[in-house]
């Protein structure tokens, strides 16, 4: 808050000092500009020397007018300056230092006035307090204006990045792929992997902190958060391989995730996105949370062929699915355990915490209901496909 509570004697002294400095404003502006240019050589290059001097004048006039007793002097000039410096990409600490430099020069000038015009020592102390309080007020206003623009720019950049990713995902506007890559900070040429990961809750990161983690490793990537999933394009290199990415996702993903095959042109991103989405669906049917498209082709195939999955389920598992909930779940769990245990009855019994004869009884019942024998390879394959189809359909 701007300072205006002074004793009458202090008020008169400070007002006179403010008017005296205003009378020599041109010299003060030049002195402040020179001090800033010496302390921050890049500042006048970013802001232009003329712009720096004009900005100094506006601030010094506002500050000195306040000291001189002008009730209309405020901090709007500082807030506007903060917005301008953010637009010029001048770092906030640099802009704030310029205020401290200006305050120091102004205070030295004020001391010179006080030396030439002796007065109440308490008035001099109040002058010092006022000057530095004004610096705090103006710094706060500058920071507020700066952050306003920073937030606006971040929102704009996020919208541009989302639009660029949407264009890559849909395959639109191929001639501008290089422009989109630059905007997303992806290499224009190279090898890429598409990632799709399911979110546990609405609009939540499925792979928390993945962008920052990859950036720390020197890996370029671009990510988009959707209502139910998180999508990303990752640049693969000789040192950052698909296997390394799978390991990283295994450590960070909160749910299932799927990866496409490696592709070497951003133009192929739509096809890679479809692969990643299918692999993600397959991951929800598998014990492994992270599934690569080329390593789970059967679940991926079924995820992409709903009619075939429905036919397999109805034709082969219809009898099992018609059972009451408890019986149906018990037989399906037994089938899953049998395939996961490579057909070892003892291993199935251990997994399901039951006797081996109980496992055999359940397998025989499945055979009766489906007409397929687990001991016949072709018929066992049909049972496996039907089980995978059922899982896929439940997820869809």
């Amino acid at each position: 808050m701007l300072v205006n509570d002074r004793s009458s004697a202090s008020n008169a002294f400070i007002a006179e000092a403010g008017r005296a400095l205003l009378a020599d404003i041109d010299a003060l502006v030049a002195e402040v500009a020179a001090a800033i240019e010496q302390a921050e050589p890049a500042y006048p290059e970013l802001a232009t020397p003329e712009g720096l001097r004009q900005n100094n004048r506006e601030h010094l006039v506002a500050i000195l007018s306040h000291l001189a007793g002008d009730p209309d002097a405020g901090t709007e000039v500082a807030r506007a300056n903060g917005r301008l410096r953010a637009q010029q990409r001048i770092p906030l600490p640099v802009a704030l230092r310029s205020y401290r430099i200006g305050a120091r020069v102004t205070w030295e000038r004020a001391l010179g006035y006080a030396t030439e015009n002796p007065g109440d020592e308490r008035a001099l102390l109040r002058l010092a307090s006022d000057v530095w309080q004004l610096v705090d007020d103006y710094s706060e206003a500058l920071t507020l204006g700066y952050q306003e623009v920073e937030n606006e720019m971040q929102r704009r950049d996020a919208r541009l990045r989302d639009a660029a990713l949407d264009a890559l995902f849909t395959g639109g506007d191929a001639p501008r792929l290089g422009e989109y890559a630059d905007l997303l900070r992806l290499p224009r040429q190279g090898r890429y992997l598409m990632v799709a990961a399911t979110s546990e809750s609405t609009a939540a990161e499925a792979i928390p902190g993945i962008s920052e983690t990859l950036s720390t490793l020197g890996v370029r990537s671009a990510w988009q958060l959707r209502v139910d999933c998180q999508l990303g394009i990752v640049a693969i290199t000789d040192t950052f391989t698909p296997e390394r990415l799978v390991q990283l996702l295994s450590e960070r993903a909160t749910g299932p995730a799927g990866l496409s095959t490696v592709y070497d042109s951003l133009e192929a991103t739509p096809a890679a996105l479809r692969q990643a989405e299918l692999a993600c669906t397959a991951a929800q049917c598998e014990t492994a949370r992270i599934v690569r498209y080329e390593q789970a082709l059967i679940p991926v195939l079924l995820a992409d062929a709903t009619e075939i999955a429905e036919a397999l389920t109805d034709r082969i598992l219809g009898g099992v699915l018609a059972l009451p909930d408890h019986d149906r779940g018990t037989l399906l769990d037994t089938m899953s355990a049998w395939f996961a245990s490579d057909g070892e009855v003892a291993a199935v019994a251990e997994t399901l915490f039951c006797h081996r004869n109980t496992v055999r009884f359940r397998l025989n019942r499945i055979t009766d209901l489906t007409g397929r024998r687990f001991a016949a390879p072709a018929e066992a394959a049909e049972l496996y496909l039907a089980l995978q189809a059922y899982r896929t359909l439940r997820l869809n």
Side-chain angles (χ1 to χ4, degrees):
M1 182 178 293
L2 292 177
V3 181
N4 52 25
D5 181 21
R6 313 183 184 108
S7 68
S8 57
S10 296
N11 187 68
F13 179 83
I14 293 171
E16 186 58 36
R19 286 191 290 270
L21 294 176
L22 275 171
D24 196 22
I25 190 66
D26 290 338
L28 182 58
V29 166
E31 189 175 347
V32 169
I36 292 174
E37 289 173 8
Q38 182 178 7
E40 301 287 351
Y43 199 112
E45 295 179 9
L46 296 170
T48 75
E50 296 77 13
L52 176 60
R53 283 169 172 75
Q54 178 59 33
N55 190 267
N56 286 342
R57 175 179 289 275
E58 292 173 358
H59 280 75
L60 289 168
V61 167
I63 290 173
L64 295 175
S65 295
H66 176 75
L67 292 175
D70 182 357
D72 294 328
T75 58
E76 276 307 309
V77 64
R79 187 167 178 173
N81 183 42
R83 295 182 63 86
L84 176 63
R85 296 315 181 213
Q87 291 164 356
Q88 293 172 329
R89 305 282 185 174
I90 293 175
L92 179 58
V94 173
L96 290 172
R97 275 197 295 272
S98 73
Y99 272 21
R100 291 195 292 273
I101 293 169
R104 175 177 56 78
V105 173
T106 302
W107 172 241
E108 289 171 355
R109 281 295 195 97
L111 280 178
Y113 170 80
T115 301
E116 296 170 2
N117 302 272
D120 187 347
E121 290 183 358
R122 287 176 297 178
L124 184 61
L125 291 175
R126 180 57 64 87
L127 175 59
S129 175
D130 276 13
V131 168
W132 292 107
Q133 180 62 56
L134 282 169
V135 171
D136 286 344
D137 292 338
Y138 273 61
S139 296
E140 184 177 339
L142 179 142
T143 300
L144 179 61
Y146 195 101
Q147 290 173 341
E148 288 172 349
V149 172
E150 258 195 337
N151 292 336
E152 292 168 4
M153 293 170 69
Q154 288 172 358
R155 288 192 293 268
R156 182 201 65 193
D157 290 347
R159 288 193 297 269
L160 289 174
R161 288 172 62 83
D162 267 352
L165 279 169
D166 283 338
L168 290 180
F169 293 159
T170 59
D173 211 356
R176 299 182 64 185
L177 288 179
E179 178 184 337
Y180 298 146
D182 293 343
L183 183 61
L184 297 168
R185 296 173 185 168
L186 291 171
R188 290 194 173 204
Q189 295 181 345
R191 296 184 301 143
Y192 315 91
L193 266 177
M194 188 74 213
V195 179
T198 302
S199 301
E200 289 189 324
S201 56
T202 303
E205 278 193 306
I207 318 169
I210 186 62
S211 179
E212 295 79 5
T213 300
L214 290 173
S215 180
T216 300
L217 296 172
V219 178
R220 299 197 211 178
S221 66
W223 297 85
Q224 185 181 81
L225 187 61
R226 294 188 173 180
V227 173
D228 58 349
C229 66
Q230 186 175 3
L231 305 176
I233 303 173
V234 180
I236 298 301
T237 65
D238 292 339
T239 56
F240 191 80
T241 62
E243 291 74 21
R244 180 70 182 92
L245 178 58
V246 168
Q247 179 185 354
L248 193 61
L249 294 177
S250 299
E251 297 168 356
R252 291 190 166 270
T254 60
L259 281 71
S260 71
T261 56
V262 176
Y263 60 106
D264 58 9
S265 170
L266 288 173
E267 199 167 353
T269 299
L273 171 59
R274 180 60 178 159
Q275 290 181 355
E277 289 175 332
L278 290 171
C280 185
T281 300
Q284 298 174 63
C285 307
E286 299 292 304
T287 54
R289 291 194 312 161
I290 313 300
V291 170
R292 295 176 63 177
Y293 179 85
E294 65 271 29
Q295 294 177 348
L297 292 179
I298 290 178
V300 165
L301 175 65
L302 293 170
D304 196 32
T306 305
E307 291 184 7
I308 295 175
E310 289 175 349
L312 280 168
T313 302
D314 293 341
R315 181 182 172 194
I316 298 174
L317 292 182
V320 175
L321 299 179
L323 295 172
D325 290 350
H326 179 269
D327 290 348
R328 179 178 63 243
T330 298
L331 295 185
L332 290 173
D333 288 344
T334 302
M335 288 178 65
S336 297
W338 192 85
F339 287 115
S341 303
D342 296 327
E344 292 289 338
V345 172
V348 176
E350 184 176 350
T351 299
L352 299 179
F353 302 102
C354 62
H355 196 275
R356 284 174 290 179
N357 288 340
T358 302
V359 174
R360 294 189 182 97
F361 171 79
R362 292 175 184 175
L363 294 176
N364 289 333
R365 191 177 180 199
I366 292 169
T367 296
D368 292 340
L369 290 168
T370 63
R372 271 78 176 173
R373 298 163 297 167
F374 286 92
E379 294 176 16
E382 287 187 325
L383 288 170
Y384 177 79
L385 288 172
L387 182 61
Q388 292 290 339
Y390 171 71
R391 290 173 172 171
T392 301
L393 290 173
R394 285 189 66 190
L395 290 170
N396 289 338

